[in-house]
């Protein structure tokens, strides 16, 4: 029996330190004897399960794979007068969209031109829309709502920078897609983003909850198109090399062969 762990936690709770989250992990530990292998797509999930008391010998890390033939850069991305910063994420508390909005306000006050496009929907959307009004950002922020993968792909191919300000992640699929599309990424130094983004080589990582540092990283890319293009190209190569569908399939095949052989 293989249990696939597709996020950081075995639940989708917003607070991992809540009583309910602790109870869920306790139940997972108590029933873990029924599982031969936990197949986790992030290193953080492996650590969460190990810290809950599950034997590390039954924990396997196999990251997600992406079809880089479907997620490709545009052939004519050019510097824009107003760079477009894109975020694709559900509007839930752990994504901390407020940090992106406050970072945008910091950059506006510094005279740095950019537009922030937000794709997604969720319970915190009305709160973020109110914050845009309070910060005076209505001319700089676009709420695009939920969109299908085709629209997301085109948005990534039209953007200049991708960003994600989450408090925690499992394996950030939107970051993988953005990197495959040749976008440099500004993200938080948390599980699932830090596994993908190499600081200073494919993008920049900052601590969660620091809009000031997020603003500084965005400014470096928004004001240096050549640097942004270099980091974006390195990001696409990293996804192609380390996070392809072929790599994922080969790792899962090896796991199943080991299980069949009774190891």
């Amino acid at each position: 029996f293989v249990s696939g762990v597709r996020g950081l936690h075995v639940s989708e709770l917003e607070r991992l330190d809540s009583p309910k989250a602790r109870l869920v992990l306790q139940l997972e530990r108590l029933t873990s004897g029924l599982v031969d292998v936990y197949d986790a797509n992030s290193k953080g999930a492996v650590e969460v399960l190990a810290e809950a008391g599950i034997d590390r010998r039954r924990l396997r890390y196999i990251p997600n794979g992406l079809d880089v033939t479907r997620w490709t850069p545009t052939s004519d991305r050019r510097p824009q007068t107003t760079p477009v910063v894109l975020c694709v994420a559900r509007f839930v508390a752990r994504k901390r969209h407020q940090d992106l909005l406050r970072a945008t306000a910091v950059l506006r006050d510094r005279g740095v031109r950019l537009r922030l496009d937000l794709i997604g929907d969720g319970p915190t959307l009305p709160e973020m829309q109110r914050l845009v009004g309070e910060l005076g950002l209505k001319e700089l922020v676009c709420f695009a709502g939920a969109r299908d993968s085709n629209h997301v792909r085109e948005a990534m191919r039209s953007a200049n920078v991708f960003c994600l300000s989450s408090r925690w992640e499992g394996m950030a699929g939107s970051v993988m897609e953005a990197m495959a599309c040749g976008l440099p990424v500004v993200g938080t130094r948390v599980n699932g983003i830090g596994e993908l983004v190499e600081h200073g080589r494919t993008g920049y990582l900052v601590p969660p909850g620091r809009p000031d540092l997020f603003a500084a990283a965005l400014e470096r890319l928004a004001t240096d198109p050549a640097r942004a293009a270099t980091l974006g190209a390195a990001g696409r190569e990293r996804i192609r090399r380390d996070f392809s569908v072929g790599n994922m399939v080969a790792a899962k095949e090896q796991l199943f062969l080991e299980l069949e052989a009774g190891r």
Side-chain angles (χ1 to χ4, degrees):
F1 185 84
V2 178
S3 176
V5 184
R6 308 266 66 83
L8 180 60
H9 196 276
V10 294
S11 73
E12 275 295 305
L13 298 168
E14 287 298 305
R15 291 190 58 85
L16 303 184
D17 58 350
S18 68
K20 188 173 182 180
R22 291 196 295 269
L23 175 60
V24 168
L25 271 181
Q26 183 179 10
L27 291 173
E28 188 66 43
R29 180 181 60 80
L30 292 173
T31 59
S32 64
L34 302 173
V35 179
D36 293 293
V37 173
Y38 287 86
D39 167 17
N41 69 348
S42 73
K43 294 177 181 178
V46 169
E47 293 306 315
V48 167
L49 291 169
E51 290 170 7
I54 296 174
D55 189 347
R56 283 185 179 273
R57 291 174 296 180
R58 290 190 287 125
L59 302 177
R60 181 70 66 90
Y61 166 57
I62 301 178
N64 289 348
L66 190 72
D67 183 354
V68 294
T69 65
R70 294 187 65 241
W71 298 86
T72 58
T74 180
S75 59
D76 60 349
R77 181 179 285 130
R78 300 172 183 173
Q80 301 184 50
T81 304
T82 302
V84 176
V85 176
L86 175 66
C87 174
V88 180
R90 288 186 300 146
F91 279 83
V92 292
R94 70 175 179 271
K95 302 295 184 179
R96 292 195 62 84
H97 286 84
Q98 65 267 34
D99 292 341
L100 297 182
L101 298 177
R102 296 189 188 283
T104 302
V106 168
L107 293 174
R108 176 205 54 199
D109 294 343
R110 291 181 187 167
V112 178
R113 297 173 59 89
L114 61 78
R115 189 182 86 222
L116 178 62
D117 286 357
L118 302 174
I119 294 179
D121 200 355
T124 63
L125 176 58
E127 179 185 348
M128 296 304 110
Q129 290 172 326
R130 286 193 296 272
L131 182 58
V132 163
E134 293 170 8
L135 295 173
L137 296 174
K138 289 186 178 180
E139 300 301 319
L140 303 179
V141 178
C142 173
F143 291 97
R147 292 290 186 267
D148 62 24
S149 60
N150 289 329
H151 185 279
V152 169
R153 184 162 45 246
E154 290 308 310
M156 287 181 174
R157 298 183 75 190
S158 300
N160 301 99
V161 180
F162 187 84
C163 60
L164 193 62
S165 54
S166 306
R167 184 171 61 232
W168 60 267
E169 284 287 338
M171 176 60 74
S174 62
V175 171
M176 295 178 69
E177 293 162 356
M179 291 172 69
C181 288
L183 287 178
V185 176
V186 176
T188 41
R189 195 181 297 276
V190 298
N191 172 77
I193 299 177
E195 288 178 47
L196 296 166
V197 178
E198 296 177 299
H199 182 72
R201 186 170 181 274
T202 67
Y204 297 115
L205 296 170
V206 300
R210 291 293 304 272
D212 56 330
L213 297 181
F214 223 98
L218 286 175
E219 182 174 6
R220 293 180 70 180
L221 294 175
T223 59
D224 190 346
R227 177 66 172 161
T230 298
L231 269 59
R236 175 168 172 78
E237 175 58 23
R238 175 161 168 74
I239 296 299
R240 187 200 65 77
R241 183 186 67 239
D242 298 331
F243 296 93
S244 69
V245 171
N247 288 352
M248 180 185 70
V249 171
K252 289 185 182 292
E253 180 182 37
Q254 181 62 35
L255 170 62
F256 298 153
L257 289 173
E258 290 176 12
L259 289 170
E260 190 275 337
R263 299 182 186 178

